Amino acid sequence: MSIPAPGARGRGPTSGPGAQPQTPRAHGFPSPARDYLDGGLDLNRELVRDRTSTFLMRVAGSAMAASGIHDGDELVVDRAVTPRHGSVVVAVLDGELVVRRLRLEDAVPGRAEGVPSPVTGHGARSAAGPATVALESDDGAAPVVLPASGPEGLRVWGVATYCLHRL
Amino acid sequence: MSEAMALVDVNNFYVSCERAFDPGLEGRPVVVLSNNDGCVVARSPEAKALGVKTGTPWFQLAPQAGAWGLVARSSNYELYGDMSARVMELLGRWGTWQQVYSIDECFLGLAGTPEQVVGAGRRIRQAVQRHLGLPVCVGIAPTKTLAKFANHVAKNNPGDVRIRGVFSVAERPRAVEALMSRLPVTEVWGVGRRTGEKLDRLGIRTIAELKAADPAWIRSRFSVVLERTVLELGGTACVPDVDEHAGPAQVIFSRSFSRPVSTAAEMDDVMNVYAQRAAARLAVQGQQARMVTVTAGTSRFSGPDGSVSRAVALPRATADPITITRSAVAAMRSVLTAGVPYTRAGVMLTGLEPAGSAQDMLEGFGGPEPDRHLEEVLERVRGRFGAASIGLGRGGLAEQGSWTMRREFASPQYTTRFADLPVVRA
């Protein structure tokens, strides 16, 4: 697939008046002319919820292999998606981008609130989030436990939404 | 309540783009260098704090760079162009109208009460941070000149908790008055140093004094442009909705249409005309460009199709109107949604550098006409003067030209080249 640069239509706004950030698969107003112009399937259209906030990244390392994320794979990463308990996220650790699974320690699985983060702006209510969060890998290494917010706290770069794996 | 407008721009745009993909650059002094790594064109706040000035040649800084921890990056136009297109498309979703003013700033129309408009400004700031990891400042006012002023206030008071990147003149009238009585006229949008000196001789030194001047008198002594500035400072919007200007970083040609354009064929024509006008402007300046950005918008908020933007790299730095026009038409076709009534479109050229490369001189050979018997001519020249004596563009040069751009500190083209994707460790 081509990069999700502003060349492919995203599915709709996640910001702006009336935006619904938590409805990732919502279809925009259907344009009959688009199908006419494009003909076949467009992976940008299928995999990219919002082209302004979606980036591709290349994976280096095998610590997330059990989650289906292998060395050399490409991740579709959406910065505007709110990370939740169990999300596969790209986080900033020691000045480096790292892919890990997010655990909201104090949160009930499935009912997690967004993670507050002063850096990404994710999560609207900073008081509602858990005090600490964990970034887990699949390789048995000890999870990295961080404050949920604050200067030394969790910094989510984006949420991985798809993994492209060459067979 | 009449409509307000916002000027939104990205703080230290080039540096912020580099940092978005390389968090290791955060908190460190970073500069971005001009073409061929010549001199500083963008600075992080830390670099500014070190006293590094825009325009400083890199060779003067290089000896101290290690000791200062100063990091240099070559200009990565592909990255900045793509991030700019994303910013503009995202911002376009918020405005009742949008006017792209440069690679990293645009005016937006905002409807609502003063409180609602400030709230929108804060959400805009959050959205750009969240979607793109870029910090922006928002200035809100009834006129463009005042919005520029408000943006300036927001930008220059990063520590003020009451501002936090968003400043509205309607919200803080007394602070505005105090600032205007203190700041020199040259801080006003469009008032240059020479106009400032002339105003000074007439006893007009502060923004407040210019605002209080008689517009008609200003027109007679200066120009209708400065008269508009005076009126705009007083709250009367009169800078025309026409955008055709050139700065050191970009050339822009954009217009509102007399009637909406909703077919691809019509938009092709629009791009044809606008791209050629922008290319002509570029040529007059003696410059060539590396990137073309096209934008289109509707007159009111209308969901995801309300604004589109796309940046594409030109095959090489060029001022050739044919190449630029083709690229603009193709870029617009790729983002346009047929059936949407677009009311405005623009073409922006960025990554500017002085024209006159060896490549450019051979531009005439690059046309599409198949019947110039070029190969025959080239063969005869080669037969007489040697194999590397002539060719198409770079292919004909015996040596690598000195015009090959130096990008010693280049970051990857993270968002526009599949081989260059940012790496995430697993």
Side-chain angles (χ1 to χ4, degrees):
Chain A
M1 74 179 260
S2 64
I3 56 147
R9 292 218 59 80
R11 286 196 174 268
T14 52
S15 299
Q20 293 183 310
Q22 298 313 314
T23 315
R25 304 299 294 182
H27 287 254
F29 182 77
S31 166
R34 267 222 80 76
D35 293 332
Y36 171 72
L37 288 173
D38 288 358
L41 282 170
D42 177 356
L43 284 183
N44 279 308
R45 218 171 136 68
E46 301 307 320
L47 305 186
V48 177
R49 191 186 55 97
D50 185 334
R51 64 180 174 192
T52 67
S53 60
T54 303
F55 298 87
L56 282 194
M57 299 195 140
R58 187 158 287 120
V59 176
S62 303
M64 295 297 286
S67 299
I69 299 168
H70 298 272
D71 190 39
D73 286 356
E74 283 86 28
L75 292 178
V76 179
V77 181
D78 191 336
R79 293 193 68 134
V81 168
T82 301
R84 292 172 177 275
H85 185 72
S87 293
V88 174
V89 299
V90 173
V92 179
L93 278 181
D94 301 323
E96 198 183 22
L97 298 171
V98 181
V99 57
R100 289 290 182 263
R101 196 170 291 277
L102 180 67
R103 297 283 169 206
L104 305 183
E105 305 270 86
D106 302 343
V108 181
R111 283 199 51 213
E113 294 293 331
V115 180
S117 163
V119 176
T120 61
H122 288 142
R125 286 165 291 169
S126 56
T132 61
V133 299
L135 294 170
E136 289 183 350
S137 56
D138 296 338
D139 61 356
V144 177
V145 178
L146 295 164
S149 58
E152 303 300 314
L154 172 71
R155 292 190 45 208
V156 171
W157 195 94
V159 174
T161 53
Y162 291 91
C163 178
L164 311 179
H165 179 71
R166 182 184 292 272
L167 297 174
Chain B
M1 182 68 206
S2 65
E3 193 182 67
M5 55 188 86
L7 180 74
V8 185
D9 76 343
V10 183
N11 305 347
N12 318 308
F13 179 60
Y14 294 177
V15 170
S16 296
C17 287
E18 298 287 345
R19 281 181 168 171
F21 295 92
D22 187 353
L25 295 176
E26 279 161 24
R28 303 181 62 178
V30 180
V31 293
V32 173
L33 305 176
S34 62
N35 292 315
N36 296 314
D37 295 342
C39 55
V40 173
V41 292
R43 305 164 296 161
S44 72
E46 298 81 3
K48 289 174 189 172
L50 280 174
V52 175
K53 300 274 180 269
T54 296
T56 308
W58 172 242
F59 72 84
Q60 288 181 8
L61 295 170
Q64 297 103 295
W68 287 351
L70 180 66
V71 180
R73 285 280 181 271
S74 305
S75 292
N76 184 343
Y77 297 116
E78 292 79 3
L79 175 64
Y80 311 151
D82 180 57
M83 292 296 273
S84 169
R86 290 170 185 253
V87 170
M88 296 311 165
E89 179 158 338
L90 180 59
L91 292 177
R93 294 175 187 168
W94 291 84
T96 50
W97 51 265
Q98 178 184 31
Q99 192 175 328
V100 177
Y101 183 67
S102 78
I103 190 167
D104 64 353
E105 60 187 326
C106 77
F107 290 102
L108 291 177
L110 296 176
T113 65
E115 295 75 27
Q116 285 171 331
V117 165
V118 171
R122 300 223 171 272
R123 288 196 299 280
I124 286 170
R125 189 158 183 270
Q126 259 176 14
V128 182
Q129 178 64 251
R130 180 172 169 153
H131 283 235
L132 292 152
L134 299 174
V136 300
C137 280
V138 184
I140 300 169
T143 71
K144 284 182 181 166
T145 305
L146 286 171
K148 265 274 189 189
F149 172 78
N151 180 279
H152 181 80
V153 175
K155 181 152 294 164
N156 287 289
N157 296 279
D160 189 326
V161 292
R162 288 213 283 171
I163 295 176
R164 287 177 292 126
V166 182
F167 186 85
S168 159
V169 297
E171 201 185 33
R172 306 274 301 278
R174 269 194 302 250
V176 170
E177 232 171 89
L179 280 166
M180 284 187 165
S181 333
R182 211 175 66 221
L183 291 173
V185 286
T186 47
E187 295 289 338
V188 174
W189 184 38
V191 178
R193 191 175 52 84
R194 295 183 67 162
T195 304
E197 285 167 3
K198 195 172 164 191
L199 284 166
D200 188 277
R201 287 196 293 276
L202 296 167
I204 296 173
R205 294 178 183 92
T206 66
I207 300 178
E209 285 164 351
L210 181 61
K211 182 185 168 188
D214 174 20
W217 179 72
I218 287 287
R219 182 176 54 194
S220 69
R221 299 298 298 255
F222 293 87
S223 64
V224 68
V225 176
L226 196 63
E227 180 193 25
R228 284 191 193 128
T229 303
V230 173
L231 290 168
E232 287 236 330
L233 284 172
T236 306
C238 55
V239 168
D241 181 28
V242 164
D243 200 350
E244 182 186 356
H245 67 99
Q250 67 272 316
V251 168
I252 289 185
F253 190 92
S254 76
R255 285 282 189 282
S256 295
F257 308 140
S258 52
R259 62 173 175 77
V261 163
S262 53
T263 70
E266 272 186 311
M267 194 56 102
D268 281 358
D269 293 343
V270 169
M271 284 295 109
N272 251 303
V273 173
Y274 288 17
Q276 288 183 56
R277 294 289 291 272
R281 185 64 183 265
L282 188 70
V284 166
Q285 290 184 192
Q287 286 179 303
Q288 50 194 23
R290 293 191 166 266
M291 296 286 299
V292 177
T293 304
V294 297
T295 56
T298 54
S299 62
R300 66 195 184 287
F301 180 74
S302 62
D305 293 330
S307 66
V308 293
S309 187
R310 172 110 205 245
V312 292
L314 290 162
R316 61 188 175 279
T318 184
D320 173 33
I322 297 173
T323 308
I324 289 171
T325 303
R326 278 193 194 138
S327 300
V329 168
M332 183 56 85
R333 272 192 203 156
S334 72
V335 287
L336 200 66
T337 301
V340 171
Y342 293 102
T343 55
R344 174 171 201 95
V347 173
M348 175 165 60
L349 304 175
T350 55
L352 306 190
E353 61 185 53
S357 70
Q359 194 91 40
D360 233 31
M361 293 189 289
L362 296 169
E363 204 72 72
F365 289 111
E369 294 84 354
D371 54 356
R372 285 180 176 175
H373 308 294
L374 256 186
E375 272 313 307
E376 197 185 316
V377 174
L378 294 180
E379 273 315 304
R380 269 193 277 161
V381 174
R382 285 189 192 116
R384 193 159 164 194
F385 296 106
S389 59
I390 192 169
L392 291 179
R394 188 175 175 169
L397 297 182
E399 291 171 35
Q400 282 285 322
S402 58
W403 41 267
T404 303
M405 190 156 75
R406 236 178 90 181
R407 291 171 100 174
E408 198 181 320
F409 313 106
S411 51
Q413 293 173 27
Y414 295 114
T415 63
T416 55
R417 258 179 74 172
F418 199 64
D420 278 11
L421 297 180
V423 172
V424 56
R425 192 166 58 78

